[in-house]
Amino acid sequence: MAEGVKLACTTCGQMNRVPAAKLTANPKCGSCGEALVTDKVAELDPATHDKATRGDDLPLLVDYWAPWCGPCRQMAPEFAKAAKTLEGRARFAKINTQDHPKISERLRIQGIPLLILYHKGREVARLPGARPAAEIAAFVTGKTPAQAG
Ligand SMILES: [Zn+2]
């Protein structure tokens, strides 16, 4: 951990290294200056999606959704609430699968809403269906043990 925690900027895609102790100190992207760790849900495009899901050291939970999907829209505030609960512990993002259908194809997504949890560049687990905030947060903490130190 001496070299810090790798995080892709969800705005510009730049990989950053953040000292673990600074994760909760509002670290900024070295390239574009946007906040790297927030309690907000980041909107991804395919490029930032791939960078973050393949490069992040911090757990990353991605909500695969579409505007036509009622359960997706219902879950959005719950997802946002869970993001606030886990600020600094995990990052939350979403990607619009209607605008970016190739992502769904590649990941073999059959139905939405679907949450996929990534950690250290690998897919860890999937959670299908609309879920309440507490269940979303428990899914993340249960599947990705807290880092020591
Ligand atoms: Zn950036």
Side-chain angles (χ1 to χ4, degrees):
M1 298 300 292
E3 292 188 329
V5 179
K6 264 192 304 170
L7 288 176
C9 173
T10 53
T11 303
C12 74
Q14 173 72 36
M15 285 310 288
N16 287 261
R17 279 186 186 277
V18 179
K22 295 258 170 80
L23 279 177
T24 51
N26 194 24
K28 301 262 198 316
C29 172
S31 180
C32 74
E34 288 295 319
L36 287 172
V37 180
T38 73
D39 63 355
K40 303 272 190 322
V41 177
E43 179 96 49
L44 300 177
D45 61 26
T48 51
H49 171 278
D50 289 355
K51 285 245 175 76
T53 57
R54 290 167 184 169
D56 275 19
D57 284 335
L58 208 61
L60 172 73
L61 187 65
V62 181
D63 175 14
Y64 297 83
W65 76 288
W68 50 261
C69 162
C72 295
R73 294 198 307 270
Q74 280 171 8
M75 184 172 68
E78 295 296 311
F79 191 71
K81 211 187 289 177
K84 286 197 199 315
T85 308
L86 294 181
E87 182 185 3
R89 170 72 171 75
R91 296 203 298 171
F92 282 59
K94 61 180 178 175
I95 185 158
N96 183 332
T97 58
Q98 182 179 315
D99 290 348
H100 308 294
K102 287 210 165 70
I103 291 275
S104 304
E105 265 174 52
R106 199 180 70 210
L107 296 172
R108 297 192 177 85
I109 293 173
Q110 310 281 348
I112 54 170
L114 174 69
L115 303 179
I116 302 183
L117 179 62
Y118 300 89
H119 193 203
K120 298 187 185 297
R122 289 205 316 266
E123 179 177 328
V124 174
R126 296 187 177 203
L127 185 68
R131 309 282 177 161
E135 199 176 328
I136 296 169
F139 172 68
V140 174
T141 53
K143 296 288 182 186
T144 55
Q147 291 164 350

